[in-house]
Amino acid sequence: MINLDDPKKLRPLASQAHQVAMNMLRPISRKYDRAEHEYPQELDMLAAMIDGLSESGASSGAGASGVRRDEKEEKAGVKNGTNLASVMSIQEMCWGDVGLLLSMPRQGLGNSAIASVADDEQLERFDGVWAGMAITEPGTGSDSANIKTTAVLDGDEYVLNGEKIYVTAGGRADHIVVWATLDRDLGRAAIKSFVVPKGTPGMRVDRLEHKLGIRASDTATIIFENCRVPKENLLGSPEVDVKQGFAGAMATFDNTRPLVAAMAIGCAKASLDLTRDLLEQAGVVIDYDRPAVTQSAAAAKFLQMEADWEGARLLTLQAAWMADNREPNSLEASMAKAKAGRVGSDITLSCVELAGSIGYSEAELLEKWSRDSKILDIFEGTQQIQQLIVARRVLGLSSAELK
């Protein structure tokens, strides 16, 4: 029998995350939406609490994580719930506020890249850092394989040159994981990731973006001009494996895409919960024992949104579970990201519509959640890119065969 309930051992973590979202994030949500680029000082205390829980082994944290598919661990049959715990807690935290979750110290998407790709020495050396992730470039869009930022080995250092845009937490993180190519002639296989400490000569934050949503989170443009980093800061192996191609670098996305899907699920759940209350106050009854076609249009629409939300949630849990159990989850990660990104945006906008003037005004947070959710359908790979990846996996075609 298939059990679709949340794992019992992770329910206390999800409950704690929900309490944090309700009592710490939701009350300051509007404040930092209006005060764009102002750092939320309240998060420092929350980050310290999460660090304490992680050190005690009581929690795996409420932000980014990663699982390395280590051969020895696979043979030993080692299993854990790190990714599943992360998506469940992220969902609850984003019920409070997506932008604030993305602003959490030491919980950046770059941290997930380090956890997924770094060797044992690097994991120890970069333990406790706050890492943003710099992938997107002007003119590159969702085609990460077309990265133009270069990394040239010069003695014991790599010299980085290029421009990165839309770097989440780029102005606040103390380290940036930069994707760059060792040799553009070798294509995708030569793309590697480098950990660059903030303040390294040749690296500068050029500007912070003004955005539609997630305004509590800073989004930066970062310039690299002859920026020298130790060769030991290249994550994983420096060898270029033409046969493996882009798989090594893309493995990071197999862990981060379910996390972004969880953000969309949490934001959509917040909209559903509030809209249900507003509909009940307006006298709209949602009856789960009657067919939708026999109920009001508003109730039928709400039931359809809940069904879509549940599908996205289950896909996300599946992708995270597979990562925890060292099973290839590239297909499932993209399916979860595509479904949750689209559903999250559809639900939040529909909730604004159902709530009418209340939904469109700042009297409630519905309009904010509709703005916040849109980015979750775009970054970490757009809706269209996810559908393309899914099609390739299902049909067994390469990126050259299906573009």
Side-chain angles (χ1 to χ4, degrees), residues 378-395:
I378 298 175
F379 69 7
E380 294 294 294
T382 64
Q383 177 73 211
Q384 293 76 15
I385 288 296
Q386 302 307 327
Q387 292 180 6
L388 185 58
I389 293 171
V390 170
R392 289 170 182 163
R393 297 290 186 271
V394 171
L395 298 174

Side-chain angles (χ1 to χ4, degrees), residues 358-378:
I358 295 177
Y360 198 71
S361 73
E362 291 190 354
E364 298 288 354
L365 288 168
L366 287 173
E367 59 81 28
K368 178 186 181 300
W369 293 331
S370 71
R371 290 187 284 110
D372 289 346
S373 67
K374 187 57 195 174
I375 190 59
L376 304 176
D377 195 27
I378 298 175

Side-chain angles (χ1 to χ4, degrees), residues 309-355:
W309 178 86
E310 184 68 16
R313 186 184 75 90
L314 292 175
L315 280 171
T316 302
L317 293 179
Q318 179 189 21
W321 181 90
M322 292 178 70
D324 284 334
N325 287 273
R326 275 67 176 177
E327 294 185 12
N329 72 332
S330 180
L331 170 63
E332 290 76 14
S334 287
M335 289 172 64
K337 170 64 169 62
K339 176 71 172 179
R342 183 180 69 252
V343 165
S345 188
D346 288 348
I347 286 177
T348 53
L349 279 172
S350 294
C351 286
V352 168
E353 180 181 348
L354 286 176

Side-chain angles (χ1 to χ4, degrees), residues 135 137 143-149 164 179-181 184 191:
I135 301 176
E137 299 178 356
D143 185 8
S144 300
N146 195 33
I147 284 173
K148 296 179 175 63
T149 297
K164 295 293 183 179
W179 286 33
T181 178
R184 292 198 65 188
I191 295 175

Side-chain angles (χ1 to χ4, degrees), residues 131-337:
M133 190 153 65
I135 301 176
T136 308
E137 299 178 356
T140 299
S142 292
D143 185 8
S144 300
N146 195 33
I147 284 173
K148 296 179 175 63
T149 297
T150 58
V152 178
L153 185 61
D154 182 16
D156 292 332
E157 297 175 317
Y158 281 98
V159 182
L160 273 59
N161 282 282
E163 178 182 357
K164 295 293 183 179
I165 59 177
Y166 303 132
V167 182
T168 302
R172 297 170 182 166
D174 48 50
H175 287 66
I176 302 294
V177 175
V178 183
W179 286 33
T181 178
L182 301 181
D183 187 341
R184 292 198 65 188
D185 292 335
L186 294 178
R188 299 165 176 257
I191 295 175
K192 302 290 182 179
S193 50
F194 302 80
V195 181
V196 184
K198 187 67 68 65
T200 300
M203 170 187 175
R204 75 174 191 276
V205 175
D206 190 57
R207 68 177 182 273
L208 298 178
E209 304 291 346
H210 294 280
K211 308 185 298 297
L212 172 72
I214 59 167
R215 292 176 179 171
S217 171
D218 68 314
T219 305
T221 292
I222 302 180
I223 307 295
F224 298 90
E225 294 177 336
N226 296 321
C227 178
R228 306 181 74 91
V229 297
K231 65 179 183 180
E232 294 80 13
N233 283 25
L234 184 154
L235 291 177
S237 171
E239 301 300 323
V240 176
D241 187 344
V242 178
K243 291 183 179 180
Q244 184 188 33
F246 203 32
M250 292 301 290
T252 299
F253 285 134
D254 295 343
N255 287 320
T256 57
R257 281 171 176 158
L259 302 182
V260 176
M263 296 176 195
I265 291 166
C267 187
K269 184 64 163 62
S271 294
L272 288 171
D273 288 348
L274 178 54
T275 301
R276 182 190 293 105
D277 291 342
L278 293 173
L279 289 175
E280 288 179 355
Q281 293 171 24
V284 176
V285 177
I286 301 170
D287 190 342
Y288 292 93
D289 294 324
R290 290 169 52 208
V293 294
T294 66
Q295 301 186 52
S296 67
K301 176 66 175 178
F302 190 88
L303 289 169
Q304 174 254 312
M305 289 193 296
E306 280 195 323
D308 283 343
W309 178 86
E310 184 68 16
R313 186 184 75 90
L314 292 175
L315 280 171
T316 302
L317 293 179
Q318 179 189 21
W321 181 90
M322 292 178 70
D324 284 334
N325 287 273
R326 275 67 176 177
E327 294 185 12
N329 72 332
S330 180
L331 170 63
E332 290 76 14
S334 287
M335 289 172 64
K337 170 64 169 62

